[in-house]
Amino acid sequence: MVIDSGEWFSEVCEEGGSAFSLKLGSKVHEEQSPYQRIAIYETARFGHLMTIDGFVMLTGRDNFIYHEMMAHPALFTHPDPRRVVIIGGGDCGTLREVLRHPGVEHVTQVDIDERVTRLAEKYFPELCESNDDPRAELLFADGIQWVKDAPAGSIDVIMVDSTDPIGPAEGLFREPFYRDCLRVLTERGVVVQQSESPLYHTEAIILPLHRRVREAGFAASVALHFPQCSYPSGWWTATLSARSGDPRAFREADARDRGFETRYYNADIHRGALAQPEFLRRRLESL
Ligand code: AG3
């Protein structure tokens, strides 16, 4: 449900019994794409806001936290990431962060909806500044099918930067998708997936996700958590799953000496994001 009073945008989170609001300037664009309703607003203090079907996807002000945490922990966990796939991520924010890693040779971004990318190019140009990088390949297709069709052992890191697990993204939270991911990953491959709020969605989304990746054959999975004030509860997770080895181990010296600028991520943040809050630790250990 959306309250669009003209002055404030609110995303109501029914399961959390809460809402998050942003003071608006004006709605600058709205359209129904073949897949979803996309709106762009100008806000008073958060830059541009993109919503899909009434849910906040990103704001100009705080998307750096989410995008850096989608990209860098996974890339510093893999020993030598060269081939990366982003499923979803049409705003290109995750893509930009991945391309900061000089060792990455090829990144394929597979978003079902080309309109998200076209609108990001217009309203979030800073996120799209690396789209012309020769290592980047932008595809507009169904990511679930793309992974199904990809050759075995061809990808080092899969990043799932999707909407909530309702509608087109639902299949990205199901076991058959994780089995396909496992097959296309190289020996030390990892998957990182946006996985909603630890406060609101531990039982309904986070635990089932960890259970499914492990049942699909991943060696281990861990929750990374970080603040994201514009998403429900203001607190978010990414689930990092390793085909082999320990997803808690990362190239800490490389993370410290990364040679590119970040605004949120650093080696201490990485370590901190791996520290499990007691309620989550207990529930994950019970799996
Ligand atoms: N990915 C969306 C995360 C889910 C947000 N959920 C919500 N607001 N209820 C965003 C794409 C950023 N690249």
Side-chain angles (χ1 to χ4, degrees):
M1 204 230 309
V2 187
I3 302 166
D4 188 352
S5 68
E7 287 186 21
W8 291 81
F9 167 88
S10 293
E11 176 183 329
V12 171
C13 175
E14 289 295 344
E15 65 275 26
S18 66
F20 174 74
S21 302
L22 286 169
K23 190 169 171 58
L24 294 178
S26 52
K27 188 189 280 181
V28 293
H29 185 84
E30 183 160 21
E31 70 179 66
Q32 177 68 41
S33 80
Y35 303 97
Q36 47 210 355
R37 186 150 207 91
I38 313 170
I40 309 279
Y41 302 81
E42 203 175 270
T43 69
R45 306 260 185 228
F46 273 70
H48 279 121
L49 160 68
M50 181 190 284
T51 65
I52 290 184
D53 295 334
F55 298 112
V56 174
M57 290 299 113
L58 70 155
T59 79
R61 189 169 186 180
D62 71 346
N63 78 79
F64 68 98
I65 303 175
Y66 175 95
H67 289 135
E68 290 182 17
M69 292 306 283
M70 284 300 291
H72 304 311
L75 290 168
F76 283 120
T77 299
H78 191 284
D80 184 20
R82 291 164 192 236
R83 300 189 64 88
V84 179
V85 171
I86 300 165
I87 305 295
D91 53 63
C92 305
T94 299
L95 175 66
R96 178 181 70 167
E97 296 307 314
V98 172
L99 290 166
R100 294 192 199 282
H101 292 248
V104 167
E105 292 168 358
H106 193 82
V107 195
T108 310
Q109 177 181 288
V110 193
D111 197 296
I112 201 160
D113 195 346
E114 180 169 358
R115 292 302 303 155
V116 173
T117 302
R118 299 301 161 229
L119 291 169
E121 285 168 345
K122 185 158 180 200
Y123 296 106
F124 297 90
E126 69 286 4
L127 300 185
C128 299
E129 70 193 10
S130 308
N131 289 5
D132 291 334
D133 188 308
R135 298 172 294 159
E137 177 188 18
L138 272 62
L139 300 178
F140 301 104
D142 178 359
I144 297 175
Q145 191 61 41
W146 190 92
V147 173
K148 211 175 263 172
D149 296 340
S154 59
I155 304 294
D156 298 313
V157 179
I158 299 173
M159 299 176 171
V160 187
D161 180 4
S162 74
T163 50
D164 297 338
I166 40 171
E170 202 181 324
L172 297 169
F173 291 77
R174 303 241 168 265
E175 197 182 324
F177 173 67
Y178 303 130
R179 288 195 187 279
D180 288 328
C181 287
L182 193 77
R183 187 185 58 79
V184 306
L185 283 174
T186 49
E187 164 64 19
R188 296 294 308 275
V190 298
V191 176
V192 64
Q193 174 163 19
Q194 85 80 8
S195 50
E196 312 280 307
S197 162
L199 199 61
Y200 293 169
H201 305 118
T202 290
E203 298 302 322
I205 297 173
I206 298 174
L207 290 172
L209 200 170
H210 284 262
R211 196 175 299 121
R212 287 169 193 158
V213 291
R214 293 175 196 188
E215 280 170 8
F218 282 81
S221 58
V222 69
L224 298 163
H225 57 92
F226 48 92
Q228 195 62 28
C229 77
S230 59
Y231 291 166
S233 86
W235 191 23
W236 216 245
T237 62
T239 300
L240 180 63
S241 310
R243 191 178 192 279
S244 62
D246 180 2
R248 285 178 186 80
F250 67 106
R251 293 183 286 116
E252 190 164 341
D254 292 345
R256 281 193 199 288
D257 189 23
R258 60 196 173 282
F260 56 82
E261 233 177 81
T262 53
R263 288 174 68 200
Y264 184 72
Y265 178 86
N266 60 36
D268 295 328
I269 287 284
H270 188 147
R271 196 194 276 277
L274 288 164
Q276 306 291 283
E278 198 56 16
F279 72 90
L280 195 55
R281 182 191 67 75
R282 248 185 259 129
R283 292 300 282 128
L284 286 171
E285 277 177 9
S286 76
L287 284 181

